[in-house]
Amino acid sequence: EIVLTQSPATLSLSPGERATLSCRASQSVSSYLAWYQQKPGQAPRLLIYDASNRATGIPARFSGSGSGTDFTLTISSLEPEDFAVYYCQQHSNWPPYTFGQGTKLEIK
Amino acid sequence: EVQLVESGGGLVQPGGSLRLSCAASGFTFTNYAMTWVRQAPGKGLEWVSAISGGGGSTYYADSVKGRFTISRDNSKNTLYLQMNSLRAEDTAVYYCAKDRGIAVAFVASDYWGQGTLVTVSS
C-alpha cells in the first residue's frame, strides 16, 4: 500500500499570503496525484489532478507540481474562502487509492 | 449539471447490514468509473471501493474486503454499496464520487455527493 504523508499538519497564514502544502509518497506514483479541498460539513472538491492540472472551475491561484514521490500544492495569494483542509490522493495503477492525512490551512 | 445523491445511511447494530445507493444524473453514467470514500467523525478521508464503468472490475480496501460489495445498475444510473458484518469502525459519512474515466486506475474523482451517515452502534 502506498502511504502519503502531508506536511505540515497545520498551516497558519493570513489572507494574501502564499501557501505551500507538501505531499510525499512512500513509492513513486508517477504523476497520478490529486489534491482536494474540504470545508466543514461539505464534500471534498477536486482541485488538481494528474499532479498539475486544474479541475474545472478552479481558480488560477491554485497550482500543483511534482512527480514521482514529491508533490506540492501552491495557493499564490490566499482568499478568505481558501481556509479549509486539503488532502492529496494517489491514483496510480493499483488500489487502494490512498489519501494523505490532510493539511489544515487556518487563518493566522 | 452533474449530481450525485446518496441514500440508505442510518443506525445499524454491529453485525448488521445496510445498502447504500447513489443516484447519478447529468452525465453518461456508463462511461465513468465510480468510487466510494468514507470519513469517520473528525477524521480524514478513506478510499473504500471502486467500480469500472461497465461494472466488470471492482476494487476494495483491505478494511472492507469480504464484507462490502460494490455494484452498479447502468440502466438506472445508480451505484450501490452493500455493507455486511458491520463494525463500529465502519461508522462514517460515505461519499460516492464520479471518476474522470471509464477505468478505475489513473483517474481522480471529479464530482462528489454530499454523503450519507452510517452509524454502527448497539
Side-chain angles (χ1 to χ4, degrees):
Chain A
E1 173 177 318
I2 297 174
V3 176
L4 298 181
T5 302
Q6 293 187 239
S7 62
T10 304
L11 184 58
S12 300
L13 293 170
S14 299
E17 290 192 293
R18 181 184 186 90
T20 303
L21 286 67
S22 175
C23 178
R24 176 164 289 177
S26 60
Q27 63 189 78
S28 177
V29 298
S30 185
S31 294
Y32 299 114
L33 189 107
W35 290 94
Y36 300 88
Q37 177 194 68
Q38 189 179 33
K39 297 179 181 179
Q42 296 186 17
R45 177 174 71 146
L46 177 66
L47 300 175
I48 301 287
Y49 65 93
D50 296 349
S52 61
N53 295 292
R54 272 190 304 276
T56 302
I58 302 304
R61 65 180 180 273
F62 291 91
S63 63
S65 63
S67 65
T69 60
D70 289 297
F71 300 87
T72 300
L73 174 70
T74 301
I75 310 171
S76 59
S77 179
L78 286 165
E79 298 287 340
E81 62 267 28
D82 298 337
F83 292 91
V85 179
Y86 292 82
Y87 295 95
C88 58
Q89 183 199 20
Q90 61 85 14
H91 47 101
S92 62
N93 56 329
W94 294 115
Y97 299 113
T98 45
F99 289 90
Q101 82 278 18
T103 290
K104 182 179 181 181
L105 179 57
E106 64 178 24
I107 300 176
K108 188 173 182 180
Chain B
E1 179 192 6
V2 172
Q3 286 198 322
L4 300 168
V5 180
E6 301 96 336
S7 61
L11 175 64
V12 60
Q13 292 188 338
S17 298
L18 215 52
R19 187 176 83 155
L20 305 183
S21 299
C22 172
S25 61
F27 64 101
T28 303
F29 187 65
T30 192
N31 286 355
Y32 295 93
M34 298 292 292
T35 291
W36 287 100
V37 172
R38 68 183 181 184
Q39 186 169 37
K43 302 297 184 183
L45 301 172
E46 180 187 12
W47 180 88
V48 173
S49 183
I51 186 168
S52 59
S57 298
T58 58
Y59 307 88
Y60 299 93
D62 285 346
S63 57
V64 306
K65 199 173 294 181
R67 300 187 298 124
F68 289 12
T69 302
I70 191 171
S71 62
R72 63 191 295 159
D73 186 336
N74 285 346
S75 68
K76 296 182 178 179
N77 289 354
T78 302
L79 174 72
Y80 302 100
L81 186 67
Q82 178 67 44
M83 305 187 295
N84 298 332
S85 303
L86 283 162
R87 307 166 179 166
E89 54 264 36
D90 295 320
T91 294
V93 173
Y94 285 73
Y95 295 101
C96 73
K98 168 191 167 293
D99 291 349
R100 294 188 63 254
I102 194 168
V104 171
F106 307 118
V107 291
S109 300
D110 56 358
Y111 291 93
W112 297 60
Q114 283 305 301
T116 187
L117 176 62
V118 172
T119 303
V120 184
S121 175
S122 55

